[in-house]
Amino acid sequence: MNKITQPDCIFCKIANGEIPSSTIYEDDDFKVILDINPASKGHAIIIPKNHGADLYELSQEDAGKIMGVAQKCAVAMKKALHCDGLNVLQNNGEIAGQTVFHLHVHLIPRYKGDTVNINWTHGEAEDAQKLAEEIRQAF
Ligand code: 5GP
Ligand code: ZN
């Protein structure tokens, strides 16, 4: 099936083979490549072949498949890299750290003593019931 692409999108070009990349996995819908500026050894990114800027725009079909790809890659990466852990991360919006506006999922291998920092301070939950109700109403 033809893919939805956007001109001038770097990840569309990578996912569809117009720009070469260090590919670790590929199927009809996704390409998984090594990050050009890795947070750790083996840092990879899963790129859907269909363009969508972020999670809000990802098709239900690609959304349903992407964690399966992450799972397969995680198993292979653990075997090849002997990492001690792995973070799966996906940024939406500049405030969340997104810099490339074609959805992608980071697979960041973790090694004992590494300097990767994905921490936040835990706050106090306020009005959780009310908040949950507001979100339920938004579906
Ligand atoms: P974001 O900050 O949007 O979640 O992640 C974008 C990621 O894409 C960054 O980690 C960045 O290093 C990586 N990246 C940006 N351009 C390229 C590229 O041309 N090739 C590869 N392999 N990675 C890229
Ligand atoms: Zn794109």
Side-chain angles (χ1 to χ4, degrees), residues 10-11 14 33-37 91 97-100 104 106:
I10 180 112
F11 279 8
I14 290 174
I33 66 167
L34 294 181
D35 196 291
I36 203 166
N37 292 127
N91 300 326
Q98 187 174 13
T99 58
V100 177
H104 50 281
H106 294 265

Side-chain angles (χ1 to χ4, degrees), residues 2 38 53-54 59 65 70 80 103 120-121 138:
N2 280 345
D54 47 33
S59 70
K65 291 175 179 166
L103 175 133
W120 59 87
T121 333

